[in-house]
Amino acid sequence: MSFSATEAAFEGFRIVRRNPLAILFWCLAYVIFFVAFFALVGGQLATIIAQAQALEGGDPDMAELQALGMSYATLLGFGLPMGLIVGAVLSAGVARGVLFPADKAFGYLRLGADELRVMVVNIILGIVIGIGSFLLFTAVIFGATLVGQSNQGAGVLTGVLLGLAAIVLLCWISIRLSLAVPITVAEKRIAPFASFAVTKGKALPILGMAVIAGIMSFLVSLLGSIVSLPVVMMTGGGLDQLATMDGLSTMQIVQSAGAGLLAWGVLNAIVSALQLAVLYAPFAAAYRDIKGLPHE
């Protein structure tokens, strides 16, 4: 079967139709992540929200910015490894749902060799994209500064043009690498750059597919916000209420606002699970169709 960008873009909805229980398992994974993360850093999260709100509309000094930065660093220290694990499990599960739809137990979710390989691939790609972005935008700043020494207006124009070129290049690289996770799940190997060969000559259709999926994800998010807003407001306002709980322990916060936070977490888990299907499934479908694999 030939690759159709519009057909692949709607693969997420097909997964939900084939196996509606998958969404429940993905929601559960998000809820478990949220509960575990909050249990570890709930008090720190309240401090960060309070610090961020205190800085709004003001002129923060260096001490306040350093305090906020240290709080974020603590949060990242816990959130990054947990996020890598959950992200690998969920992205591998979505790819499995497209490539091996008969293997649908537990909503296609597993915790094994596939997930470990996907996590390694995600880390490698994150490092590559991060370093590449740093080098590109350093070159942009250097070029704009060099030209601006003789003509400030030309320097600004050079910075804008080079910046746009850097963004286009990063988008192209991201598209060429976008099938790394489906390849890893399908071929049972760590191959972060094998996507370049598979996407050769397919970059524009995959970009169009990604744009369609992105628009649908935005609509899902918008609809989720409309539906969840009344519930969140009735149960305390979600995470914003933590700003008033700075200094309390995680247990004290749970005792005070646990029901509202859980409602916020469940609603966000539902929306996130739907967005997961909408955003990730098309890339697995693109790999399947480009390689001519059967639709099980």
Side-chain angles (χ1 to χ4, degrees):
M1 179 179 178
S2 61
F3 168 57
S4 168
T6 52
E7 282 292 318
F10 291 90
E11 188 66 25
F13 295 104
R14 297 188 188 99
I15 288 184
V16 176
R17 186 183 63 209
R18 287 196 304 265
N19 187 10
L21 286 178
I23 291 295
L24 294 180
F25 281 101
W26 299 349
C27 287
L28 181 60
Y30 276 115
V31 170
I32 291 173
F33 168 75
F34 170 68
V35 171
F37 182 69
F38 194 85
L40 290 171
V41 294
Q44 191 70 33
L45 185 60
T47 298
I48 288 176
I49 295 175
Q51 289 174 331
Q53 289 190 2
L55 296 179
E56 290 179 359
D59 187 14
D61 57 33
M62 186 56 64
E64 291 175 321
L65 291 175
Q66 287 177 342
L68 183 59
M70 291 180 64
S71 297
Y72 270 116
T74 301
L75 209 65
L76 188 63
F78 286 99
L80 183 59
M82 294 176 64
L84 285 171
I85 295 170
V86 173
V89 169
L90 288 170
S91 59
V94 174
R96 189 176 291 112
V98 175
L99 299 170
F100 309 107
D103 192 12
K104 60 184 180 179
F106 305 106
Y108 310 109
L109 299 184
R110 306 289 185 273
L111 187 58
D114 281 344
E115 287 68 29
L116 180 59
R117 285 188 287 262
V118 167
M119 185 167 63
V120 172
V121 166
N122 285 339
I123 292 172
I124 292 172
L125 293 182
I127 292 172
V128 169
I129 295 296
I131 294 176
S133 300
F134 174 77
L135 293 176
L136 277 174
F137 286 105
T138 297
V140 169
I141 294 171
F142 177 77
T145 302
L146 189 63
V147 174
Q149 289 177 348
S150 57
N151 187 310
Q152 186 175 3
V156 173
L157 180 60
T158 300
V160 171
L161 293 177
L162 289 178
L164 290 174
I167 291 172
V168 170
L169 180 57
L170 286 173
C171 287
W172 179 81
I173 293 173
S174 298
I175 290 297
R176 295 301 302 275
L177 294 172
S178 62
L179 304 188
V181 169
I183 290 171
T184 301
V185 173
E187 302 180 10
K188 311 294 183 184
R189 63 191 180 101
I190 297 174
F193 307 113
S195 178
F196 263 95
V198 179
T199 57
K200 184 178 180 180
K202 305 290 185 181
L204 286 180
I206 291 175
L207 175 61
M209 177 197 74
V211 170
I212 295 172
I215 292 172
M216 290 191 294
S217 174
F218 172 76
L219 293 176
V220 169
S221 176
L222 182 62
L223 180 61
S225 298
I226 294 172
V227 172
S228 64
L229 182 60
V231 178
V232 171
M233 295 306 296
M234 286 188 297
T235 55
L239 290 182
D240 288 341
Q241 61 186 308
L242 294 181
T244 62
M245 301 180 188
D246 184 19
L248 298 182
S249 67
T250 299
M251 185 56 66
Q252 289 173 321
I253 293 174
V254 170
Q255 291 173 345
S256 176
L261 291 173
L262 183 60
W264 176 89
V266 170
L267 289 170
N268 276 271
I270 295 171
V271 174
S272 296
L274 291 171
Q275 287 183 294
L276 179 77
V278 169
L279 283 175
Y280 282 36
F283 293 97
Y287 168 78
R288 177 196 63 199
D289 295 344
I290 291 171
K291 298 291 286 186
L293 301 179
H295 292 228
E296 295 184 18

